[in-house]
Amino acid sequence: TVQVAGYVDIGKTITRSGAKIGDLIYVTGTVGDASLGLRAFNEGSSKLSEYVKKFSRPKARIGVGEKLLKVASSSIDISDGLIQDLNQICLVNGVGANVFLKKIPSNVSNSELANLINSGDDYEICFTAQESFQDSIDLISRDLGVSIKCIGEIIEGKGVKVISESLNPIQVKSGYKHF
């Protein structure tokens, strides 16, 4: 376990607060790769070695975070699971979220993704932004060579709903619980 503490200059960080109804929800990279890596590691499989690297040596998206300073309204890293971490943004801002399963970038099928979506340890960035920043987000993605995909929207209400391809809410496993 590693814990890092420090200071950040005012205006140089994106916090969990700031998400507003109508903001779009984005995610960098792919979701579920670390879980695939842990599975491959535990099974002693070299077949998924690229995923083992993503689990054992995740890359922090610091460059993306720096570029999002004037774009994102809120942000969180995906450490405990996409839905669980996004719910932290919702709780702080008193809003809800709709996330569309088919829009989540992943290397697995949607049926398997429903089981991996909250596995955690991906260390990608989940953030919210106004739709008017879409061109800026696309430019950041191209400039840094990091996939950034819109996966949903901030709505009135509470909690995060994961929506299937048939537009029905689906249940997902709980993410990592600290206590």
Side-chain angles (χ1 to χ4, degrees):
T1 300
V2 175
Q3 179 175 335
V4 178
Y7 297 95
V8 178
D9 292 335
I10 294 173
K12 300 285 183 177
T13 188
I14 307 164
T15 65
R16 295 176 186 180
S17 63
K20 294 175 184 60
I21 295 168
D23 281 356
L24 298 179
I25 303 164
Y26 295 86
V27 68
T28 63
T30 52
V31 175
D33 288 355
S35 182
L36 292 175
L38 177 60
R39 183 186 314 161
F41 178 81
N42 286 336
E43 293 171 355
S45 171
S46 60
K47 182 180 172 188
L48 300 173
S49 62
E50 67 185 90
Y51 299 114
V52 172
K53 258 193 208 173
K54 287 187 174 187
F55 170 72
S56 62
R57 302 264 188 242
K59 291 186 179 181
R61 301 288 190 192
I62 295 169
V64 175
E66 291 171 339
K67 297 283 186 183
L68 290 174
L69 275 173
K70 295 182 177 153
V71 175
S73 54
S74 68
S75 177
I76 192 167
D77 73 315
I78 304 172
S79 56
D80 296 338
L82 172 60
I83 303 308
Q84 185 153 319
D85 289 326
L86 176 56
N87 194 55
Q88 294 299 317
I89 287 175
C90 291
L91 286 170
V92 167
N93 294 285
V95 296
N98 281 338
V99 171
F100 297 93
L101 189 65
K102 69 180 183 179
K103 291 186 174 190
I104 299 170
S106 177
N107 289 306
V108 297
S109 68
N110 282 349
S111 59
E112 189 173 4
L113 180 58
N115 292 321
L116 296 179
I117 197 171
N118 245 351
S119 297
D121 288 331
D122 286 310
Y123 299 102
E124 294 294 345
I125 299 173
C126 178
F127 67 95
T128 61
Q130 294 175 8
E131 187 174 5
S132 61
F133 285 115
Q134 184 63 60
D135 289 341
S136 298
I137 293 166
D138 291 342
L139 184 61
I140 292 167
S141 177
R142 278 193 305 274
D143 286 352
L144 297 179
V146 174
S147 171
I148 302 175
K149 300 293 182 192
C150 178
I151 62 167
E153 179 180 21
I154 297 296
I155 60 169
E156 279 189 53
K158 293 183 183 212
V160 180
K161 291 181 192 137
V162 179
I163 310 296
S164 71
E165 288 185 56
S166 59
L167 302 180
N168 294 313
I170 60 172
Q171 290 292 104
V172 296
K173 291 182 180 179
S174 177
Y176 180 77
K177 300 275 192 218
H178 289 267
F179 303 102

